[in-house]
Amino acid sequence: MKTTIRYINLFVVIQCFLFNSLKAQTKHTIKVDWKIAAVLPAKSNDEVSLGFAGNISGQIDELVIVAGGANFPIAMPWVNGKKVYYDDIYLFIKKDEQLSFKNDHFKLPEPIAYSAVTTTKNSVIYAGGESENGLS
């Protein structure tokens, strides 16, 4: 009797592995359609914005906030380019699935990038990060 139960248990375990492995091999395709929502304004004499790594971003109602961040405006790091940190705050208004740049100019208390960020109902909160002085 014990031997029969062991064989039944073994059979059930083998069936579970067999059927689960077949399901794991099922191919799933997800289509992603990327669109440019908005373009950041260019800095000083640049024709186009280089963009910013590690920026602070969030959305409150129809207001989209992009702030801080870092990039290499003169040369890439592999040719000894210096990383520059920014304190600019860019505001965009979301209307009918479009973003339009709001030309108000605000600044963060200091240039910062790579912060931890969270959004609440009425604020974007950031903590820590990296600046030209190191980690904060």
Side-chain angles (χ1 to χ4, degrees), residues 21-84:
S21 66
L22 291 176
K23 289 180 184 177
Q25 301 303 315
T26 304
K27 184 177 180 180
H28 297 282
T29 304
I30 299 172
K31 184 177 187 281
V32 177
D33 188 20
W34 290 95
K35 295 178 184 175
I36 296 174
V39 177
L40 291 169
K43 298 289 285 175
S44 61
N45 297 330
D46 295 337
E47 290 182 24
V48 295
S49 174
L50 294 174
F52 302 99
N55 59 18
I56 297 163
S57 57
Q59 182 174 346
I60 303 168
D61 297 324
E62 75 281 346
L63 186 64
V64 175
I65 300 163
V66 180
N71 63 24
F72 294 85
I74 306 299
M76 292 291 112
W78 50 87
V79 288
N80 297 322
K82 182 179 186 315
K83 185 185 287 188
V84 176

Side-chain angles (χ1 to χ4, degrees), residues 122-133:
N122 60 3
S123 60
V124 175
I125 301 167
Y126 70 96
E130 179 183 297
S131 70
E132 62 185 15
N133 300 321

Side-chain angles (χ1 to χ4, degrees), residues 26 106-107:
T26 304
F106 300 100
K107 296 272 190 184

